[in-house]
Amino acid sequence: MKKENSIAMPVINEHVAGIDVGSKSHYVAVGQSEEDVRKFNVYSKDNDALVAHLKDKGIKTVAMESTGSYWQTLYSCLQAAGFEVVLSNNYIKDPQRKTDTKDARWLQRLHSLGLLKGVFIPSLDIERIRTYHRQREKIVALAASCQLKMQKALRLMNIRLDIALSDITGLSGMRMLEAIVQGERSGQKLASLAHSTVKKSREEIADALQGQWKDEQLFILADELEAYKIYQIRIAAYDKKIEELLKDAVSQLPVAAEKSSKKPSKRKPRKNMPAYNVEKLSMQYFGVDLLKVEGVGQSTVMTFISEVGTDINKFPTKKHFTSWLRLAPNNKKTGDKTFSTRTPKGKSIMANAFRLAANTISQRRRGVLKNTFVRIAIKKGRAAAITALARKLAEIFWIMTVKKVSYIPPDEHEYALKIKENTIRNICSKMKRLNIGTEDLVFNGIATPSLS
């Protein structure tokens, strides 16, 4: 009788369980037979029963699939119970017909063979800051939406406050909006509320504040203004919580606090910026000043702290970090030929923050990073240049925070010389490859003299 071919694979991890996470129930596999799979509900008492079941089976490590946000409570419960938890979101699915039971057994098999790679999960302290910061960003977006609705209500009454002022929710704008809601209709009196630093003349502001007063639009304006003020109060509350967590984290890092004895520079306050001193706390937290990097603002630094923080050390190299951010090229080869180098698709809050910083750099007048953007944009376009510059910023952040190296802006003259040398080297290499000599060069129809 002919024997079937089989490939034996060594077991890398012993005492392994696989969990298929669901919205209403979890399927737990401690082996590959049907009897080794058990179903648990998602309530707290069921999570405790699940933990007890794993301990009875002698399980030491657990593999889970990241399904929405349903995995988070179970993940925390398993970690608190002392299990090593591997959360995976990128693995080859079971080629057989899909069921919850088969998914749990497939996870258990892959993890026992050492074929699963865990995703990056920040520590508990960073996760708390991240939760507050993400919610704060959502509230900032809601406040911005209120501002747009107020502008629309004013525009439909032909009250062009958005032309008279650069920001209708600034000091002068809020004074005028409050007066309009309270019943003031005189353009001259409203214009007198403008701050002395407003560039427009009082006559032009008064002209912009004359229009057709409509009751329905005034009601919407008052409603959105009240909502906007509530959102500002909520933002301040989140700032206070984030500041407390940051100070607590800094107090546990005495070495970083000693390195940041330099007084922070005075920066012009911007809209929706945190109420606390981001520069000072970030210097104490990392031991380096990330705000020295071109195009990097407080928002980028706070996103970096809340999304990665000191767990940046979990990435062994800057290439691992940029790959996790999906900013590194995803080289696809077949037949010894590369047919695609596009960056992989996927959403990353940190990558978007780096892209916004790169876009800020693209609007600067000068600087080495600006020159880098221009050089790449000429070859590959603006979108590719933004991604490449975002990757460059991510590498700079990794070097600064992991190796504790301060950022020193490169000299533009040295950068230009380096680009010139590389260009000459590439031209010489191409001439040598094509067997072109200096006597073959022609300029304006006249052969150039030999340089040999």
Side-chain angles (χ1 to χ4, degrees):
M1 185 174 180
K2 187 177 180 181
K3 295 183 179 180
E4 295 182 358
N5 294 330
S6 62
I7 300 176
M9 297 184 68
V11 174
I12 305 298
N13 301 314
E14 297 181 350
H15 310 291
V16 171
I19 302 179
D20 180 64
V21 179
S23 60
K24 297 180 179 179
S25 59
H26 306 315
Y27 286 81
V28 182
V30 295
Q32 289 300 304
S33 63
E34 292 287 345
E35 294 77 14
D36 292 329
V37 182
R38 207 174 144 186
K39 178 183 177 182
F40 293 87
N41 291 328
V42 296
Y43 306 124
S44 297
K45 66 175 184 178
D46 298 300
N47 286 344
D48 295 336
L50 188 153
V51 169
H53 172 68
L54 294 178
K55 289 183 176 180
D56 291 341
K57 296 295 182 179
I59 299 299
K60 295 181 180 179
T61 176
V62 180
M64 298 170 55
E65 181 185 6
S66 59
T67 305
S69 60
Y70 301 115
W71 61 270
Q72 295 182 0
T73 53
L74 181 58
Y75 182 90
S76 301
C77 186
L78 292 172
Q79 273 201 326
F83 293 102
E84 179 188 348
V85 187
V86 175
L87 184 70
S88 181
N89 62 354
N90 186 17
Y91 62 91
I92 301 174
K93 304 291 184 180
D94 189 348
Q96 301 178 4
R97 184 177 298 174
K98 184 185 182 306
T99 64
D100 295 331
T101 301
K102 288 183 177 180
D103 282 349
R105 289 163 57 188
W106 186 249
L107 283 168
Q108 194 273 343
R109 176 184 295 181
L110 291 178
H111 190 35
S112 63
L113 298 176
L115 298 177
L116 284 184
K117 188 176 181 181
V119 299
F120 170 76
I121 301 294
S123 60
L124 181 60
D125 294 338
I126 298 173
E127 183 182 355
R128 294 178 65 191
I129 297 175
R130 182 181 66 180
T131 303
Y132 282 119
H133 184 262
R134 286 186 177 182
Q135 183 63 18
R136 181 190 185 278
E137 292 298 303
K138 292 178 182 178
I139 298 174
V140 169
L142 291 173
S145 176
C146 288
Q147 179 178 346
L148 293 176
K149 292 175 183 177
M150 285 190 289
Q151 285 181 345
K152 182 178 179 181
L154 291 169
R155 188 168 59 251
L156 291 176
M157 296 186 293
N158 203 29
I159 307 299
R160 301 312 305 268
L161 187 60
D162 55 331
I163 296 178
L165 302 175
S166 59
D167 181 14
I168 68 168
T169 55
L171 178 62
S172 301
M174 290 299 288
R175 287 177 182 174
M176 296 178 189
L177 290 175
E178 290 284 359
I180 291 173
V181 169
Q182 292 173 7
E184 183 60 59
R185 299 293 180 264
S186 172
Q188 297 294 335
K189 291 183 179 180
L190 290 172
S192 65
L193 298 175
H195 194 267
S196 59
T197 57
V198 175
K199 296 181 180 180
K200 297 285 186 181
S201 65
R202 297 298 178 267
E203 292 76 13
E204 186 173 355
I205 296 175
D207 293 339
L209 295 175
Q210 295 298 311
Q212 303 170 356
W213 303 101
K214 300 178 181 179
D215 291 339
E216 64 275 16
Q217 297 301 333
L218 287 170
F219 183 84
I220 293 174
L221 178 65
D223 183 51
E224 294 297 335
L225 179 60
E226 186 65 26
Y228 179 83
K229 291 189 290 185
I230 292 173
Y231 286 139
Q232 295 302 312
I233 296 173
R234 292 176 62 186
I235 291 171
Y238 276 96
D239 283 343
K240 186 176 180 181
K241 296 294 295 185
I242 295 173
E243 183 180 12
E244 292 175 357
L245 290 175
L246 273 177
K247 288 182 176 179
D248 183 59
V250 167
S251 65
Q252 301 176 18
L253 301 169
V255 176
E258 290 176 1
K259 289 184 178 180
S260 57
S261 57
K262 180 183 174 182
K263 293 183 180 180
S265 59
K266 293 183 180 180
R267 291 176 176 266
K268 184 179 179 181
R270 294 186 178 181
K271 193 175 180 181
N272 295 324
M273 285 296 102
Y276 48 89
N277 194 328
V278 175
E279 183 176 5
K280 179 181 178 181
L281 288 174
S282 64
M283 286 175 65
Q284 293 175 342
Y285 188 71
F286 290 113
V288 290
D289 188 4
L290 295 174
L291 288 168
K292 282 188 176 181
V293 183
E294 304 169 46
V296 172
Q298 296 182 5
S299 177
T300 308
V301 173
M302 275 310 305
T303 303
F304 183 68
I305 292 175
S306 62
E307 295 296 326
V308 185
T310 52
D311 284 348
I312 186 70
N313 295 293
K314 292 183 178 180
F315 299 97
T317 65
K318 59 184 180 182
K319 291 184 178 180
H320 286 83
F321 182 48
T322 55
S323 177
W324 174 71
L325 292 172
R326 295 185 175 90
L327 292 175
N330 183 25
N331 296 325
K332 295 181 180 180
K333 296 183 178 181
T334 181
D336 295 331
K337 185 179 291 186
T338 301
F339 64 92
S340 176
T341 57
R342 285 183 171 271
T343 53
K345 295 181 180 179
K347 296 181 180 180
S348 173
I349 295 176
M350 190 67 253
N352 289 338
F354 282 132
R355 282 192 170 95
L356 288 174
N359 184 64
T360 302
I361 293 172
S362 70
Q363 298 172 2
R364 294 168 69 98
R365 293 185 178 180
R366 53 182 302 174
V368 171
L369 294 180
K370 165 67 175 181
N371 296 336
T372 302
F373 170 83
V374 172
R375 185 166 53 87
I376 299 175
I378 292 173
K379 294 181 180 179
K380 299 183 179 180
R382 180 179 178 82
I386 290 290
T387 300
L389 200 55
R391 181 189 179 191
K392 180 68 175 177
L393 290 173
E395 292 176 347
I396 292 173
F397 270 51
W398 184 90
I399 294 171
M400 291 180 67
T401 53
V402 173
K403 299 186 177 182
K404 305 300 178 185
V405 178
S406 298
Y407 178 74
I408 301 176
D411 184 76
E412 291 188 59
H413 180 66
E414 294 181 359
Y415 176 80
L417 289 177
K418 184 177 180 181
I419 295 298
K420 183 178 180 181
E421 292 174 359
N422 291 339
T423 304
I424 294 173
R425 191 180 300 111
N426 293 336
I427 292 174
C428 292
S429 176
K430 194 169 185 178
M431 290 176 63
K432 184 177 180 180
R433 187 169 63 252
L434 298 175
N435 196 23
I436 298 175
T438 54
E439 64 278 359
D440 299 323
L441 300 178
V442 177
F443 181 71
N444 289 338
I446 303 174
T448 58
S450 176
L451 301 177
S452 58

